[in-house]
Amino acid sequence: MTVQTLDDIHELAQQLRVDSIRCSTSAGSGHPTSSMSAADMMAVLMTRHLRYDWQRPDNPANDHLIFSKGHASPLLYSMFKAAGVVSDEELMTRYRRFGSRLEGHPTPILPWVDVATGSLGQGLPDGVGVALAGRYLDELPYRVWVLCGDSETAEGSIWEALDKAAFYHLRNLTAIVDVNRLGQRGPTELKWDVDAYAKRVEAFGCHAIVIDGHDLGEIDKALSHAAEAEQPTVILARTRKGRGFSDVEDREGWHGRPLPQEMAERAILELGGERHVTVTGPLPEAGTPRAWPDGEVSLPRYELGAKVPTRLAFGQAVAAVGARGNVVALDGEVDNSTHLEEFAKAHPERYFEIYIAEQHLVAAAVGLQVRGYIPFAATFAAFFTRAYDFIRMSDISQANIRLSGSHCGVEIGPDGPSQMALEDLAMMRAVHGSTILYPSDATSAAHLTAQMAERDGIVYIRTTRGAYPVLYGPDEAFPVGGSKVVRSSPDDQVTLIGAGVTLHNCLAAADQLAGDGIRARVVDLYSVKPIDTQALLEAAAATGDRIVVTEDHYPEGGLGSAVLDAFNDAGHPVHISHLAVRDLPGSGTPAELMEAAGISAGQIAQAARDLLGG
Ligand SMILES: Cc1ncc(C[n+]2csc(CCOP(=O)(O)OP(=O)(O)O)c2C)c(N)n1
């Protein structure tokens, strides 16, 4: 049947409820009541407002629909059934089953899903990123619709997102908050106080519309208003959890519980039985994204021996890579420290200031890459720890994002430990499929930055605050997964491995050892993940398995762990001498702090002597 009138839409909404119950009961898990409260809104949206070509999810003119409350996947997948792209059989037999694309929470394995959700407070921030792309880059009139839970709005990231949406005048963004009064364990903080929500939304600069989320006419009007608003709109819809089945409607204790078979049968009866309505909603008008022309990428060149911080080389290189029209950059209000300001100067129209909101920094990058852009987001490495759940989820989103963390380690000196990243390598190594680059000089930093643009997944570069000598000529190659033997001789006795500032300390240590007649091989491990296992094995073979690894990072999960894992995985376990920051640092000069941490040149040399038995 064709769904046109509000009566037809009511039928569709009941179908969405029935299917949400059927699929979760058949799976034995899922969130039917969270789906039922939002079914009326989603029925009106997909019938009259969501301009989406279901047969062509890659149509650039399509609207975007994001379920920030990803646990309402029964509702989303029931919409896919109603759109005719998922069969009733698949929904009933595959939902939440092993190997199925209909996972417990939505992921982009499904072609109609942009981003993975399920960790609450992330879908709306991601949607802001997509809306930024629509308004400022694609220059297409598509809209971004995001369904949020009311308990979800306790997440600060929701308010970071609304703040940025208002700042960037994202009138193409509509959040629909399903105010069903209940969260997981009971009532939410604000219950049905929709006026309090409205005040908060307006205080953040967005347009608030309060409606009865079960009145189809009101929903229709609100969605039309949202499309015409000058600012981002937040629809605050008062609803009832479990709406449509009296046994569970507005009752506590039914969050995340499928209905037992007998209850499901009664619920389906009360909802008017099974239906198999298919909807054809509006299609987007044809449109092509603005083309951003590509220029020539000409990387900065540095003189051997010149002292240049790797963070500066990163900034200059990313500005150069910005000659490619699809490269964009996002700053966490520290671009004069990370040197991302170089990109801002060169390409202001593809630069987004996110201010001090690191979760949003990552989420906006994820949203931008949904539309095919290549985002580089930069802040102090320490502050990415705050966005770790967003980084973790971006991996599940199969997102391609590039992160640059500056000011790593005790090397930053007087600012003290609050500004020092000493956990970032461990954190980033643990991300599935991530790439981690840690250059020691400006030339390698520039080349690795350029390669970041080419590489899929979560790509992280760790940069250093201080200025150290350029070690490599401008035409040297730095393949990801490689390393450099910076110093060697046929009769090396010990291998010193470092990256970033510790490579310079290793070189100084090798000089000291040479004074004692000891020959040290020095390896620049600029690619922490993937790691150059072959080079490590060769160095171990050449130096009798005598290896010192030194890192400006806590001992757990960093360079030393990466080296040990590589040897272990290669079936050649070794015992290394591992110098790392083992005590809580304070303030001081870089030299004082590295000495206190035991990672200075003198301490590396001593560790080498100890390995050689004297
Ligand atoms: C960051 C995060 N914290 C906790 C959870 C666990 N959780 C899943 S759903 C939920 C309650 C959500 O309530 P609400 O946003 O009101 O959505 P509703 O199901 O009521 O529509 C919670 C706490 C989660 N998924 N993500």
Side-chain angles (χ1 to χ4, degrees):
M1 77 179 254
T2 15
V3 181
Q4 273 166 345
T5 66
L6 291 186
D7 285 343
D8 300 336
I9 293 176
H10 172 71
E11 284 300 298
L12 170 65
Q14 296 295 76
Q15 168 175 316
L16 297 177
R17 291 187 168 96
V18 167
D19 287 346
S20 296
I21 292 169
R22 290 171 63 223
C23 71
S24 49
T25 293
S26 85
S29 70
H31 297 73
T33 57
S34 306
S35 299
M36 291 158 83
S37 53
D40 293 316
M41 297 181 288
M42 291 302 104
V44 178
L45 180 70
M46 78 180 291
T47 307
R48 294 193 173 174
H49 300 274
L50 180 74
R51 299 164 305 175
Y52 197 85
D53 184 346
W54 290 98
Q55 302 311 322
R56 275 203 54 203
D58 59 347
N59 181 342
N62 278 342
D63 280 0
H64 294 260
L65 172 63
I66 297 173
F67 266 40
S68 201
K69 49 175 256 180
H71 58 282
S73 57
L75 175 59
L76 184 65
Y77 301 161
S78 297
M79 292 169 75
F80 294 163
K81 171 192 146 178
V85 291
V86 162
S87 70
D88 190 70
E89 191 201 351
E90 183 179 2
L91 186 58
M92 297 311 146
T93 62
R94 304 297 296 142
Y95 177 52
R96 285 178 168 248
R97 308 308 201 277
F98 180 72
S100 164
R101 61 179 184 165
L102 302 181
E103 294 182 24
H105 294 76
T107 79
I109 290 177
L110 292 160
W112 319 280
V113 172
D114 287 331
V115 289
T117 52
S119 177
L120 292 167
Q122 301 209 18
L124 183 61
D126 291 346
V128 168
V130 179
L132 280 174
R135 172 140 197 203
Y136 295 100
L137 300 169
D138 288 337
E139 297 179 1
L140 282 171
Y142 57 74
R143 292 185 201 126
V144 181
W145 309 92
V146 183
L147 178 66
C148 299
D150 51 349
S151 205
E152 182 185 11
T153 64
E155 287 286 2
S157 55
I158 291 287
W159 303 97
E160 286 183 10
L162 291 180
D163 177 57
K164 295 303 165 294
F167 176 76
Y168 280 106
H169 304 294
L170 298 179
R171 55 172 179 264
N172 51 349
L173 177 79
T174 304
I176 303 167
V177 185
D178 181 9
V179 188
N180 60 23
R181 187 186 74 87
L182 295 170
Q184 173 171 316
R185 49 147 286 287
T188 59
E189 207 180 317
L190 290 178
K191 306 186 184 67
W192 270 321
D193 190 352
V194 280
D195 292 337
Y197 282 112
K199 279 192 202 133
R200 291 181 187 191
V201 163
E202 279 161 5
F204 278 87
C206 297
H207 175 49
I209 305 179
V210 172
I211 60 165
D212 171 348
H214 299 309
D215 180 322
L216 300 180
E218 268 191 46
I219 297 168
D220 193 31
K221 244 192 259 160
L223 294 174
S224 300
H225 280 152
E228 290 151 15
E230 283 305 307
Q231 275 295 79
T233 297
V234 180
I235 297 175
L236 298 157
R238 196 184 142 125
T239 59
R240 290 164 75 84
K241 202 154 171 169
R243 168 75 169 190
F245 181 38
S246 38
D247 283 29
V248 298
E249 184 171 319
D250 191 35
R251 297 266 175 94
E252 289 186 34
W254 281 100
H255 177 88
R257 283 177 64 192
L259 303 184
Q261 187 62 40
E262 171 277 325
M263 274 181 92
E265 282 164 20
R266 279 193 292 113
I268 294 166
L269 215 59
E270 189 175 327
L271 288 160
E274 274 183 36
R275 301 156 180 83
H276 299 284
V277 172
T278 308
V279 189
T280 317
L283 285 173
E285 274 176 35
T288 40
R290 172 176 172 177
W292 293 84
D294 284 335
E296 184 90 359
V297 175
S298 166
L299 285 181
R301 296 168 77 84
Y302 302 99
E303 294 221 344
L304 276 176
K307 287 190 171 178
V308 184
T310 52
R311 61 184 168 127
L312 176 60
F314 161 78
Q316 292 172 337
V318 81
V321 173
R324 293 173 54 176
N326 58 352
V327 172
V328 300
L330 306 99
D331 167 44
E333 221 268 282
V334 285
D335 64 2
N336 53 340
S337 294
T338 61
H339 289 292
L340 198 65
E341 64 184 1
E342 302 291 329
F343 188 101
K345 284 185 227 151
H347 314 285
E349 66 294 352
R350 282 182 274 130
Y351 190 72
F352 299 97
E353 181 54 68
I354 303 296
Y355 299 97
I356 310 167
E358 291 78 14
Q359 300 186 87
H360 198 74
L361 184 69
V362 174
V366 170
L368 288 162
Q369 66 84 47
V370 164
R371 288 292 311 128
Y373 295 96
I374 298 179
F376 281 81
T379 184
F380 281 31
F383 306 141
F384 273 123
T385 58
R386 187 173 188 124
Y388 193 43
D389 190 31
F390 283 70
I391 296 170
R392 181 185 74 86
M393 286 297 292
S394 65
D395 183 47
I396 303 172
S397 288
Q398 298 169 32
N400 300 317
I401 58 171
R402 291 92 190 147
L403 306 176
S404 170
S406 67
H407 294 68
C408 62
V410 300
E411 189 275 345
I412 69 158
D415 268 347
S418 68
Q419 316 297 298
M420 297 170 179
L422 290 161
E423 310 85 356
D424 57 313
L425 290 176
M427 165 177 102
M428 296 305 302
R429 279 184 69 223
V431 172
H432 165 260
S434 61
T435 298
I436 301 174
L437 307 169
Y438 186 11
S440 301
D441 87 329
T443 301
S444 55
H447 283 263
L448 293 168
T449 300
Q451 289 176 74
M452 289 173 80
E454 312 288 338
R455 210 165 160 87
D456 285 346
I458 319 293
V459 189
Y460 175 63
I461 189 167
R462 184 182 213 231
T463 66
T464 301
R465 178 173 182 274
Y468 296 90
V470 172
L471 301 171
Y472 304 105
D475 299 317
E476 185 95 25
F478 297 88
V480 171
S483 64
K484 294 279 174 201
V485 177
V486 196
R487 191 166 298 179
S488 70
S489 72
D491 45 5
D492 289 335
Q493 296 155 278
V494 61
T495 299
L496 310 180
I497 298 175
V501 67
T502 62
L503 180 74
H504 295 275
N505 294 353
C506 287
L507 285 167
D511 288 342
Q512 292 180 15
L513 291 168
D516 301 345
I518 298 170
R519 289 195 217 298
R521 173 174 296 212
V522 178
V523 176
D524 174 359
L525 207 58
Y526 64 79
S527 181
V528 180
K529 185 181 171 186
I531 198 164
D532 191 350
T533 305
Q534 196 50 41
L536 293 174
L537 289 170
E538 282 166 19
T543 60
D545 281 355
R546 285 182 290 275
I547 297 167
V548 182
V549 180
T550 309
E551 60 184 313
D552 195 354
H553 185 276
Y554 285 141
E556 296 86 359
L559 216 56
S561 298
V563 167
L564 285 174
D565 286 351
F567 279 116
N568 197 52
D569 292 349
H572 184 87
V574 292
H575 175 79
I576 64 166
S577 175
H578 182 197
L579 308 188
V581 182
R582 289 174 194 272
D583 292 325
L584 192 65
S587 289
T589 64
E592 284 168 339
L593 290 166
M594 288 194 279
E595 187 72 26
I599 60 171
S600 67
Q603 288 153 321
I604 296 170
Q606 189 51 46
R609 284 187 207 101
D610 290 347
L611 282 180
L612 287 160

